[in-house]
Amino acid sequence: MAVPKRKVSKARRDKRRNSHWKLSLPGMVKCPQCGEMKLAHRMCKNCGYYNGRQVVAKEV
């Protein structure tokens, strides 16, 4: 059975445990209609377009 050769410090232990809890960035893409950054596969909040057509009427 494998046995640790040295004591693992608290900092090293916590660094190893903490690495799995990082948040990932959401997939942001440029809206082809207005050029604003938006979430992928979702309607653009700025212009109201999704997949080349207007789904929500927005005032310009």
Side-chain angles (χ1 to χ4, degrees):
M1 189 170 148
V3 179
K5 198 158 201 154
R6 298 197 185 285
K7 177 182 178 180
V8 177
S9 70
K10 292 172 193 148
R12 188 174 287 270
R13 177 200 66 198
D14 293 345
K15 203 178 350 177
R16 182 185 68 240
R17 288 180 182 170
N18 190 31
S19 66
H20 304 296
W21 292 99
K22 291 182 179 161
L23 293 173
S24 59
L25 290 172
M28 300 290 283
V29 293
K30 189 175 170 184
C31 175
Q33 201 69 26
C34 66
E36 193 82 15
M37 292 303 282
K38 69 176 191 78
L39 287 170
H41 310 291
R42 284 167 181 79
M43 175 200 73
C44 178
K45 292 182 179 180
N46 190 42
C47 64
Y49 274 75
Y50 177 70
N51 206 13
R53 60 196 137 143
Q54 192 170 15
V55 290
V56 174
K58 292 276 187 171
E59 292 183 16
V60 177

